Amino acid sequence: MFTVEILCIGNELLSGITVNTNAHWISYQLTQAGGIVKRITVVGDDVSEISSAVKESIARRPEWLIVSGGLGPTHDDKTLLGVAIGIGVDLVLDKNAAEMLKKSYARRSKIYELNDIRLKMAKIPRDSTPIQNPVGTAPSVIICGTHDRANIVCLPGVPKEMEAIFLESILPEIKKTVGEFYVVESSFEVIGVSEAMLAPVLSKIIESNTLDRNYIKTHPLEYSSDNKPRLRVQIIAKGNDKHEVETRHNTVSCIIVQEIRMLKGKIISKR
Amino acid sequence: MFTVEILCIGNELLSGITVNTNAHWISYQLTQAGGIVKRITVVGDDVSEISSAVKESIARRPEWLIVSGGLGPTHDDKTLLGVAIGIGVDLVLDKNAAEMLKKSYARRSKIYELNDIRLKMAKIPRDSTPIQNPVGTAPSVIICGTHDRANIVCLPGVPKEMEAIFLESILPEIKKTVGEFYVVESSFEVIGVSEAMLAPVLSKIIESNTLDRNYIKTHPLEYSSDNKPRLRVQIIAKGNDKHEVETRHNTVSCIIVQEIRMLKGKIISKR
């Protein structure tokens, strides 16, 4: 398993204009691949905010830092400059990134040619590697980690572009470093049992050392019409050995279902 | 106007299980009330992660820190302990909070009585004020700021509970400190104009000093079926004087619409 931080950049994420679905999508993908997302940070389109967030993040020593948003050509696209300052390098016009931009614009109508404003997207942190954007124009960037610094990936903020690059070029790289990984997950809804009633048995399971790679969470839902508590219970087991993960998931599941029955709760949906 | 940070707590927000709609909802409410959300942070259900995030946040000196999630009775509800450590106080069993819990449980069927596990929700940071939860059980908490520390508000993570407490008890308090505030907003979709084409005029508007309280953002959308760029343009003006805000919004709007027409873009929807 490996640790990750996600940094999302954009004023629209801070003012309630846009729901941060990118952070959700990226964290799901990484969790399924064996990642532990330790923190998600959102800052605005401001160079010093971005560079501070990058510095703080790499100081916490995650293995990967995934940055999303702010790679475009406009006045408020400041991610690469912020990242460069954050890791102490300068921005340089990268020939390969410029070629990628030319290709992207060639896909479009001829009226959208590569001009100076657009060439800004080819100025990337020194010693980083640009990655072709298969959907939009702005290339992504990978900055390989050092012995004491995370690998840093900068992705566009437009979801379709971000998802395409992540699945094509980033996830395969990450998977190379972790190998096979399995996640078995189930969840069910319970009526008549509250979080507090289930708390003692969950504490016991969490405390027992054999269950390091299990995740159990209760989400209280609205009370039922006859004023009974409703709860969604989620059980997730993770690991590198498929059979072992399945067995572990089933064991934990059985203990919790038994307890719910003892408490006279009713399991109304399971998946 | 006032500065805010939002801190959301919950493993489910880091593993792609739950979309962070709370951060979106809170940031929208605060922005409409004249707040500037400077940063959103998400950490897991871990005392040291929470206390570190709180320390870091208050060191950046926002006027308000809004915390959401982790107030319940279960093993992974660690927010109040994390916040207490973050500001250097201890947790104390608060009589008023215990009364609030009793009231909440009295609303429910008698089988859910206040026991030791549930009483955990009445242990709040020293010198903080509990607020009745009108929907669920866990009280919220307000910790009044000092000369060099933000006001801190701890809200539940269940959206219906969080929203009810925020609208009933928190937003009125915040509004007292800022007075009337107006936001005028419009957005339109354009075909045939890219971000890069619009960038020069937007830079000019942003650079002109008179427009401090305007927010202009272009969001690239997917290309149209005939391969033309599509863009959503958002214009937001804010301030304390309604008439002045409306005039300012209209002026900026006119400049941008004129430029789009010059660039032969087509405005296809406006609201």
Side-chain angles (χ1 to χ4, degrees):
Chain A
M1 295 176 87
F2 57 96
T3 55
V4 190
E5 290 207 12
I6 298 171
L7 171 59
C8 296
I9 292 158
N11 290 345
E12 70 279 13
L13 299 167
L14 294 175
S15 55
I17 292 171
T18 305
V19 179
N20 193 351
T21 53
N22 280 358
H24 178 250
W25 188 90
I26 296 168
S27 57
Y28 180 80
Q29 296 292 332
L30 291 170
T31 304
Q32 294 295 313
I36 301 167
V37 179
K38 300 286 283 179
R39 188 185 284 226
I40 296 168
T41 306
V42 184
V43 296
D45 303 303
D46 178 281
V47 174
S48 83
E49 290 284 341
I50 298 167
S51 61
S52 298
V54 168
K55 274 180 209 161
E56 290 157 25
S57 172
I58 57 182
R60 286 185 293 265
R61 301 284 185 104
E63 287 160 74
W64 290 83
L65 168 60
I66 313 288
V67 184
S68 163
L71 298 188
T74 62
H75 65 90
D76 55 0
D77 288 308
K78 293 165 179 167
T79 296
L80 293 182
L81 179 56
V83 170
I85 294 172
I87 60 172
V89 299
D90 51 358
L91 283 186
V92 288
L93 182 66
D94 184 275
K95 276 185 192 170
N96 293 328
E99 280 305 312
M100 289 174 188
L101 276 175
K102 271 184 204 159
K103 257 193 213 166
S104 292
Y105 281 108
R107 279 202 311 259
R108 315 286 177 202
S109 149
K110 277 198 176 167
I111 60 163
Y112 308 114
E113 278 170 11
L114 191 57
N115 57 18
D116 275 0
I117 285 175
R118 290 178 177 132
L119 211 56
K120 162 183 178 292
M121 296 185 275
K123 284 176 189 149
I124 66 177
R126 188 178 293 281
D127 297 328
S128 63
T129 309
I131 302 164
Q132 178 78 47
N133 185 330
V135 179
T137 48
S140 284
V141 167
I142 292 193
I143 309 163
C144 278
T146 58
H147 71 286
D148 60 352
R149 200 199 64 216
N151 297 298
I152 302 174
V153 178
C154 301
L155 298 165
V158 181
K160 289 239 164 174
E161 299 181 20
M162 182 279 288
E163 291 169 16
I165 298 174
F166 188 87
L167 293 178
E168 273 177 33
S169 308
I170 309 303
L171 197 55
E173 286 305 309
I174 293 176
K175 279 188 170 168
K176 272 185 208 161
T177 67
V178 272
E180 290 300 327
F181 193 79
Y182 300 94
V183 178
V184 180
E185 184 178 346
S186 66
S187 78
F188 42 88
E189 199 183 312
V190 185
I191 288 195
V193 172
S194 70
E195 275 203 304
M197 291 161 78
L198 211 53
V201 70
L202 295 190
S203 298
K204 254 186 226 164
I205 296 175
I206 305 287
E207 279 161 21
S208 79
N209 260 344
T210 51
L211 299 166
D212 264 3
R213 289 170 162 201
N214 292 344
Y215 172 73
I216 307 161
K217 181 101 183 178
T218 51
H219 305 271
L221 307 171
E222 282 171 70
Y223 274 63
S224 66
S225 51
D226 55 346
N227 221 11
K228 284 184 180 168
R230 282 169 61 229
L231 205 59
R232 195 167 78 245
V233 181
Q234 242 172 342
I235 304 165
I236 299 172
K238 303 169 181 184
N240 298 92
D241 177 337
K242 195 175 176 186
H243 179 71
E244 185 274 332
V245 172
E246 285 171 347
T247 309
R248 190 152 38 83
H249 174 270
N250 291 344
T251 308
V252 174
S253 213
C254 279
I255 297 171
I256 295 174
V257 168
Q258 259 185 333
E259 182 72 14
I260 289 170
R261 288 197 181 128
M262 288 254 302
L263 293 166
K264 304 205 189 309
K266 198 175 155 194
I267 294 174
I268 62 160
S269 73
K270 195 168 174 173
R271 63 183 169 94
Chain B
M1 295 176 85
F2 56 97
T3 54
V4 190
E5 290 207 13
I6 298 171
L7 171 60
C8 296
I9 292 157
N11 290 344
E12 72 279 14
L13 299 168
L14 294 175
S15 55
I17 292 172
T18 305
V19 179
N20 194 351
T21 54
N22 280 358
H24 177 250
W25 188 90
I26 295 168
S27 57
Y28 180 80
Q29 295 292 332
L30 291 170
T31 303
Q32 294 296 312
I36 300 167
V37 180
K38 299 285 283 179
R39 189 185 284 226
I40 297 169
T41 306
V42 183
V43 296
D45 303 302
D46 179 281
V47 174
S48 83
E49 290 284 341
I50 298 167
S51 61
S52 297
V54 168
K55 273 181 211 165
E56 291 157 23
S57 172
I58 57 183
R60 287 184 293 264
R61 300 285 186 103
E63 287 161 73
W64 290 83
L65 169 60
I66 312 288
V67 184
S68 163
L71 298 187
T74 62
H75 64 90
D76 55 1
D77 288 309
K78 293 166 179 168
T79 296
L80 293 181
L81 180 55
V83 170
I85 295 171
I87 60 172
V89 301
D90 51 357
L91 283 186
V92 288
L93 183 66
D94 184 274
K95 275 184 192 169
N96 293 328
E99 280 305 312
M100 288 173 189
L101 276 175
K102 269 185 206 158
K103 258 193 212 165
S104 292
Y105 281 107
R107 281 202 311 259
R108 315 287 178 201
S109 150
K110 278 200 176 167
I111 60 163
Y112 308 113
E113 279 171 10
L114 191 56
N115 58 19
D116 275 359
I117 285 175
R118 288 175 179 134
L119 211 56
K120 161 182 177 292
M121 295 185 275
K123 284 177 189 150
I124 66 177
R126 188 179 294 280
D127 298 326
S128 63
T129 309
I131 302 164
Q132 179 78 47
N133 185 329
V135 179
T137 48
S140 282
V141 168
I142 291 193
I143 309 163
C144 279
T146 58
H147 72 285
D148 60 353
R149 202 199 62 217
N151 297 299
I152 302 174
V153 178
C154 302
L155 298 165
V158 181
K160 289 240 163 172
E161 300 181 20
M162 182 278 290
E163 291 169 14
I165 298 174
F166 188 87
L167 293 177
E168 274 178 32
S169 308
I170 309 302
L171 197 55
E173 287 305 310
I174 293 177
K175 280 188 169 168
K176 271 185 210 163
T177 66
V178 273
E180 290 299 326
F181 193 80
Y182 300 93
V183 178
V184 180
E185 183 179 345
S186 67
S187 77
F188 43 87
E189 199 183 311
V190 185
I191 289 195
V193 173
S194 70
E195 275 203 302
M197 291 161 78
L198 212 53
V201 71
L202 296 189
S203 297
K204 254 186 225 162
I205 297 175
I206 305 285
E207 278 161 23
S208 79
N209 261 343
T210 51
L211 300 165
D212 264 3
R213 288 170 164 203
N214 291 344
Y215 172 73
I216 307 161
K217 181 102 183 177
T218 51
H219 305 271
L221 306 172
E222 283 170 70
Y223 274 64
S224 67
S225 51
D226 55 345
N227 221 10
K228 285 183 179 167
R230 282 168 61 229
L231 206 59
R232 196 168 77 244
V233 181
Q234 240 171 343
I235 303 165
I236 299 173
K238 304 169 181 184
N240 298 92
D241 178 337
K242 195 175 176 186
H243 179 71
E244 185 273 333
V245 172
E246 284 170 348
T247 309
R248 191 151 38 83
H249 174 269
N250 291 344
T251 308
V252 174
S253 214
C254 280
I255 297 172
I256 295 174
V257 167
Q258 260 184 331
E259 181 73 13
I260 289 170
R261 287 197 182 131
M262 288 254 302
L263 293 166
K264 305 205 189 310
K266 197 175 155 196
I267 294 175
I268 61 161
S269 73
K270 194 167 175 175
R271 63 183 170 93

